[in-house]
Amino acid sequence: MKKDSSACCSCLIPSKETVRFYLLGVLIAFYMLAGAAVFSILERPAELKAHQHWERRLRSFCQEHNMSCEDLKSLLHHFEEARTAGIQTEKGRAQWDLPGAFYFVGTVVSTIGFGVTAPSTATGKVLLVFYALLGCSATILFFNLFLERVTTLLNFLMFWCHTRTSKPSGLENKTSEGNKNEEWKPSVYQVTFILFLAVLLVACGAASLYSAIEGWTYLESLYFCFVAFSTVGFGDFVSGQREHHEDTRGYQVANCLLMLLGVCCTYSLFNAISVIIKQGLNWILRTLDWMYDGIRHNRLQFRPLFQLCFSDSESPVNYGKDDTVHGPQMFIKIKQQLTENKTEMASLTKQQQTTEQRNILTTQEQTEGQMKIIESKLQSINRGKTE
């Protein structure tokens, strides 16, 4: 029964990977709660202010044009439905010609999904499900292969720089230095820093292009680059959607290439940061394990003291009003029991020593008796030979 209960308990104990998974989930939940609180504090007043301003404009417009607010809201509702099909207040580029459709499928398979263009027909919506299922899987595989090649290239370049900077001083140190170079590997922090610089370089270059052509500020362009490269894709800023962009084929190609390069580099950076987060989770688990071992060790150290204080033969210590009476008595009893234990240990050691001495004497007597028997046999043999 004990073996079965211990086996069941061992099955209920989660593994290290499971604990790390739950710990990561809890940390992500707390991270999301903290982010929600911060963004709510920052954006909620602006939202309320925008709603109040919009209601005032609706009422003033209805009063000026002598129309009901319900009719105006129904018209705006129809405009929102038409906007999903590509209808805009200002005339822009076509949404579903071949370049526009190519831009749409590019945002689908890269999981950006700006939301500016979406299929309006039922056949298009059904086709999008199966198209994205295969296209997103293939694109994620492409990102992983890109990450493998980028890490291989970075390892090669950093290893080359390491071997160039650490030259051996003499002929004797060449073999040891060569072994060290073979064992040397770049740290994940170095790789993450280089990938961060690469993403920053691509984002700054793309932001300068977007701010010049789209008419955005440089900060808005950087914001768009991060939202697009991280595949978040809010859709508040979308590149290449104006009417004059239909004639600029070079800009459309450059836009697609920058999107592809930025998403690949950002995906690689996210993977490197996830490795650092995993190392942080392992450190937290080691710290918790160390704390648990310390608490358990302290409990084992103080257990004999608790057993002496709360033994069955003794009455437990009362921590009440008469604590001044029972406290000294408790320590006197503990000292008496400790002295008794010491005397018992001394008697046990003496008994051990006497038994060992007796064993030594008996072994000596046995060996002397055997030697006498052998000598008597030898003497009898010599007598037989002389006779």
Side-chain angles (χ1 to χ4, degrees), residues 56-327:
R56 286 197 300 268
R57 292 187 66 180
L58 280 177
R59 287 195 298 268
S60 63
F61 184 84
C62 292
Q63 291 174 0
E64 288 177 1
H65 295 83
N66 196 13
M67 61 182 302
S68 63
C69 293
E70 287 76 10
D71 295 337
L72 180 60
K73 288 181 180 180
S74 64
L75 179 63
L76 293 174
H77 180 70
H78 289 305
F79 174 74
E80 289 177 355
E81 292 178 352
R83 186 178 176 83
T84 59
I87 305 300
Q88 298 178 0
T89 54
E90 295 181 0
K91 187 177 180 181
R93 54 166 294 177
Q95 300 289 333
W96 291 107
D97 59 350
L98 187 60
F102 184 79
Y103 188 81
F104 165 73
V105 297
T107 58
V108 169
V109 299
S110 62
T111 68
I112 295 176
F114 287 121
V116 176
T117 307
S120 58
T121 61
T123 307
K125 292 177 181 178
V126 172
L127 178 62
L128 177 64
V129 174
F130 297 99
Y131 184 84
L133 185 65
L134 182 61
C136 293
S137 302
T139 307
I140 290 172
L141 177 62
F142 177 79
F143 291 161
N144 289 325
L145 295 176
F146 179 84
L147 175 62
E148 291 179 2
R149 279 148 183 79
V150 166
T151 52
T152 304
L153 179 62
L154 290 177
N155 288 333
F156 175 76
L157 292 175
M158 294 174 71
F159 179 77
W160 181 77
C161 294
H162 177 74
T163 53
R164 295 284 293 178
T165 53
S166 61
K167 291 183 179 180
S169 59
L171 296 174
E172 296 178 354
N173 296 328
K174 282 186 178 180
T175 56
S176 62
E177 196 71 26
N179 295 326
K180 289 181 181 179
N181 288 330
E182 289 178 359
E183 295 176 356
W184 183 86
K185 290 181 180 179
S187 66
V188 67
Y189 302 100
Q190 295 173 345
V191 175
T192 304
F193 180 71
I194 293 173
L195 288 174
F196 175 74
L197 291 179
V199 171
L200 188 63
L201 181 63
V202 174
C204 290
S208 61
L209 177 65
Y210 292 137
S211 62
I213 295 180
E214 297 289 343
W216 302 331
T217 63
Y218 194 76
L219 182 62
E220 291 174 347
S221 301
L222 280 176
Y223 165 78
F224 166 74
C225 289
F226 177 77
V227 170
F229 295 167
S230 61
T231 69
V232 176
F234 291 124
D236 50 352
F237 290 93
V238 183
S239 61
Q241 298 299 312
R242 302 198 178 186
E243 185 179 5
H244 63 276
H245 291 157
E246 293 182 356
D247 300 330
T248 56
R249 300 296 180 185
Y251 173 67
Q252 294 179 13
V253 174
N255 185 22
C256 293
L257 292 177
L258 285 173
M259 288 284 182
L260 180 62
L261 182 61
V263 170
C264 289
C265 293
T266 310
Y267 179 82
S268 303
L269 179 62
F270 286 166
N271 276 274
I273 294 173
S274 66
V275 174
I276 296 175
I277 293 173
K278 189 176 181 180
Q279 290 180 356
L281 292 174
N282 292 331
W283 178 81
I284 293 172
L285 291 177
R286 286 196 300 269
T287 305
L288 293 175
D289 193 12
W290 174 75
M291 292 172 65
Y292 174 74
D293 289 338
I295 294 169
R296 188 174 61 180
H297 182 67
N298 291 328
R299 283 180 60 190
L300 291 175
Q301 282 183 346
F302 287 107
R303 183 176 292 176
L305 181 61
F306 292 145
Q307 288 177 354
L308 290 172
C309 294
F310 300 103
S311 61
D312 293 332
S313 61
E314 300 284 338
S315 62
V317 179
N318 296 322
Y319 292 97
K321 295 180 180 178
D322 54 349
D323 191 18
T324 57
V325 178
H326 290 279

